[in-house]
Amino acid sequence: MSPYRDPRAPGGRQNRPSRKQRASTASKPAKQAGSGSGQTSDAHVSGGVRLQKILAEAGLGSRRACEQLILDGRVEVDGSIVTELGTRIDPETQSVYVDTVRIATQTKKVYLVLNKPAGVVSTMSDPEGRPCLADYTRNNIERLFHVGRLDTDTEGLILLTNDGELSNRLAHPRYEIPKTYLAQVRGQLAKDAGARLKTGMDLEDGFTKVDDFKLVDSTPGHSVVELTLHSGKNRIVRRLMEEVGNPVERLVRTRFGPIVLDEQRQGKIRPLRSDEVGELFEAVGL
């Protein structure tokens, strides 16, 4: 079974929430804003952009629906709840939260997800002239960083951004961002393979264990497994599976923290939706 035929994979996502999702968001009861005082804010910036316009452009619904979010006290700017519809803000310097989740407002920030094919080097340039990540971002004039790495032979989800602080936090072990992989391995798994991986084992660079492990499919001579772990050690999935006697034949990263590959086609790149960026901010405490 190919890792790209995982029967649990839902349909591909669009670049904004569906009508059903937006309707669901609009019907949610108001939450207490994360750091808001509960008072009308003085966040107004003369000459700024109307707050409801920023929310609408972030994909949170129509302008009218976004006005209702403000009136319901669900929008926070720079630590205070905003309830005035005339409020204008500077999206480049002020932080905006909806129901305690930060939304992306900085127009100069870029957040992309690529389904990396095998054979592509996880660098923005390669002195040997091999295919690299820059081949997929030539339309972006911004200098982009890749978040973490994937081996040249490993396929799947890799994030690219010019947000240096977010990139550094996502890659830092302190935040323990989980990554999920689908691996086609050689042979049948031993009965205790999953238990060994969850208990952990000593490798040459230290003790490592997986957070979750599932057998997805098994055919004569091959198995497909799913592993979730937060370790960022080099070639960690391949080394773990080698340790339990099942060398990896094909490896695909399907999830990075809250971001899911779904059925995004191989070699395709897309911008993250505002809610996806907000989930990344939340995962690393931004």
Side-chain angles (χ1 to χ4, degrees):
M1 175 181 174
S2 164
Y4 281 109
R5 296 180 192 149
D6 182 4
R8 292 162 299 153
R13 292 186 174 185
Q14 302 297 318
N15 289 340
R16 58 177 295 175
S18 67
R19 182 179 297 177
K20 183 177 180 181
Q21 289 172 320
R22 296 196 300 272
S24 174
T25 299
S27 64
K28 286 182 180 179
K31 298 181 183 179
Q32 182 180 356
S35 57
S37 64
Q39 303 298 318
T40 300
S41 123
D42 58 355
H44 183 84
V45 174
S46 179
V49 183
R50 285 187 179 272
L51 183 55
Q52 55 265 45
K53 181 177 186 291
I54 292 173
L55 297 177
E57 290 178 347
L60 294 175
S62 66
R63 191 80 62 89
R64 185 178 297 275
C66 292
E67 289 176 351
Q68 193 61 51
L69 290 176
I70 297 170
L71 292 173
D72 290 343
R74 295 167 60 184
V75 181
E76 181 183 18
V77 178
D78 286 347
S80 297
I81 295 172
V82 173
T83 57
E84 296 293 332
L85 293 182
T87 301
R88 292 177 179 268
I89 71 165
D90 181 352
E92 301 298 329
T93 62
Q94 293 178 280
S95 299
V96 180
Y97 292 76
V98 177
D99 291 338
T100 75
V101 176
R102 185 176 172 182
I103 67 168
T105 60
Q106 295 180 322
T107 58
K108 296 179 182 179
K109 297 295 185 184
V110 176
Y111 307 92
L112 305 171
V113 57
L114 168 69
N115 184 351
K116 185 185 89 67
V120 175
V121 184
S122 291
T123 60
M124 298 309 292
S125 64
D126 183 68
E128 300 178 24
R130 293 172 295 179
C132 65
L133 300 178
D135 296 334
Y136 299 89
T137 60
R138 297 198 184 281
N139 292 331
N140 292 91
I141 61 174
E142 300 84 359
R143 179 171 180 263
L144 299 176
F145 311 95
H146 52 90
V147 181
R149 298 174 65 89
L150 287 177
D151 300 332
T152 303
D153 294 332
T154 300
E155 308 162 45
L157 192 158
I158 191 163
L159 299 173
L160 301 109
T161 181
N162 60 350
D163 189 331
E165 183 176 9
L166 177 64
S167 177
N168 290 335
R169 290 200 183 198
L170 288 171
H172 198 287
R174 170 186 174 186
Y175 296 98
E176 298 189 339
I177 302 300
K179 279 84 72 175
T180 299
Y181 297 83
L182 210 56
Q184 181 175 293
V185 301
R186 189 184 310 155
Q188 308 298 299
L189 268 69
K191 291 183 178 179
D192 65 343
R196 289 179 62 195
L197 290 165
K198 289 181 179 180
T199 301
M201 54 191 70
D202 286 310
L203 303 177
E204 62 270 20
D205 53 354
F207 180 81
T208 306
K209 66 178 182 177
V210 305
D211 302 322
D212 194 24
F213 178 85
K214 298 175 184 176
L215 174 63
V216 177
D217 191 34
S218 181
T219 58
H222 307 277
S223 301
V224 175
V225 298
E226 182 185 75
L227 310 88
T228 299
L229 66 168
H230 57 266
S231 172
K233 294 178 180 177
N234 187 40
R235 299 176 66 85
I236 187 61
V237 174
R238 296 179 185 274
R239 290 191 286 138
L240 286 171
M241 294 310 301
E242 182 82 34
E243 191 73 17
V244 297
N246 300 98
V248 170
E249 298 175 325
R250 186 181 182 192
L251 184 62
V252 182
R253 183 158 70 190
T254 59
R255 187 180 191 109
F256 189 107
I259 310 304
V260 183
L261 191 62
D262 283 340
E263 292 183 352
Q264 182 175 334
R265 288 186 296 164
Q266 194 173 92
K268 293 299 180 181
I269 192 167
R270 70 170 178 88
L272 292 179
R273 302 189 313 270
S274 177
D275 61 307
E276 291 177 308
V277 177
E279 288 171 348
L280 286 174
F281 287 156
E282 188 174 23
V284 296
L286 285 175

